[in-house]
Amino acid sequence: MKTIKKISLVLFAALAVSLSSCSSDGGSGGGTAGAGTIKAKVNGSWVTTPELTTAATHSGNFLHIQGTAGDTSSKSFSVNVIAFDGVGTYDIGGGVSGLGAANATYNETIVNISNPMASDYSNWSAPYDGGAKVGEVTVTEITETNVKGTFYFTAKNTDDNSTKEITEGSFNIPLE
């Protein structure tokens, strides 16, 4: 009986820790990316870029966020807000021109170690197909030294017409 109580106590403690780690971010909507990283699901699988290969720049009305993860299977995100005006939400696609206020890409490179020239590089871009809205970038915080926010988008590969769903994206990146 004591064993059952101990197991129950351990399970309850694990549940409490689990629920507290799923708590909201205080209403900032800044997502779950760690400092210096981009984190998103690509067709349901998490991809996180390390601080070493992640960067952001801001100049005038332009905000650029990029990051690369991986080793022999490199995966990268690039998000551009071309009409940046501070904290807010920016459409990827849509609008009068069909371009929206932002665009994004997701790339994958599968390196063939035995024959690097046979490596496979694929690129998925958004917006596409006439510029319908296919996602959003939300900047929740920007200072002189850092930018935070969230994003999601559907991107299309023009070589084979495949699409990738980028969901639950977030970033927390020092500005260069």
Side-chain angles (χ1 to χ4, degrees), residues 79-81 88-93 101-104 126 133-139 149-154 166-171:
V79 177
N80 298 302
V81 180
T89 299
Y90 301 89
D91 290 344
I92 298 174
N103 60 55
K133 180 179 173 182
V134 293
E136 291 180 346
V137 179
T138 300
V139 176
T150 61
F151 64 93
Y152 71 89
F153 62 93
T154 301
I166 314 302
T167 60
E168 299 181 52
S170 60
F171 53 90

Side-chain angles (χ1 to χ4, degrees), residues 41 57 126 148:
K41 283 187 177 178
T57 57
K148 292 181 182 179

